[in-house]
Amino acid sequence: MKKEDCIFCKIAGGEIPSKTLYEDDRFRVILDLGPAARGHALILPKEHAENLYELPEETAAAVMVLAKRMAAVMRDRLNCDGLNLIQNNGEAAGQTVAHFHMHVIPRYKEDNQKIGWVPRETPPEELEALKEQITFTKTEV
């Protein structure tokens, strides 16, 4: 289902022009207009889901298959030195458009991008408490 006021729904549906790299009945892959690196692309599902929590599992799996294929194309055609897959959920995580999308970012040794985080130290007892809090079984999900 498409959301009428969603810009990514409009782009994925072809209502707003984009630099489309790939399209099928479920996805449109476009060049990002504010790229982190040369060739930075976005995978947009045509069906609206605000974030990963709302995305059907079948679509989530298909996104990863498509991302893998895009990665191979970028490696071969752009001669990139590496690649990031980034998917943000919620404002605190950096999501700026409320439509699930995955960034496929080719990386180059001299691109001067810093995509990552500052590692923190966690005491062993906190790691154990987190493990207990988060561990789940197949029947819980």
Side-chain angles (χ1 to χ4, degrees), residues 7-73:
I7 190 154
F8 278 2
C9 281
K10 291 177 181 178
I11 294 170
E15 295 174 47
I16 295 176
S18 64
K19 299 296 182 193
T20 299
L21 304 176
Y22 173 83
E23 181 179 13
D24 62 25
D25 60 326
R26 297 174 65 188
F27 301 102
R28 183 182 295 258
V29 180
I30 65 170
L31 286 174
D32 193 308
L33 294 179
R38 183 174 172 270
H40 179 165
L42 301 175
I43 298 175
L44 307 176
K46 291 184 176 180
E47 292 294 319
H48 184 82
E50 187 169 311
N51 50 46
L52 181 63
Y53 311 115
E54 295 180 4
L55 194 68
E57 286 187 5
E58 178 183 300
T59 304
V63 166
M64 286 306 294
V65 170
L66 182 52
K68 181 184 185 310
R69 291 178 182 161
M70 288 300 305
V73 167

Side-chain angles (χ1 to χ4, degrees), residues 57 134-141:
E57 286 187 5
I134 300 171
T135 299
F136 62 94
T137 65
K138 194 174 188 177
T139 58
E140 291 179 286
V141 291

Side-chain angles (χ1 to χ4, degrees), residues 84-100:
N84 290 111
L85 293 179
I86 299 175
Q87 200 284 306
N88 305 317
N89 295 281
E91 185 178 343
Q95 185 178 14
T96 58
V97 178
H99 181 111
F100 174 92

Side-chain angles (χ1 to χ4, degrees), residues 74-90:
M74 289 176 168
R75 179 195 60 211
D76 295 345
R77 297 184 188 175
L78 297 177
N79 297 311
C80 54
D81 301 308
L83 184 122
N84 290 111
L85 293 179
I86 299 175
Q87 200 284 306
N88 305 317
N89 295 281

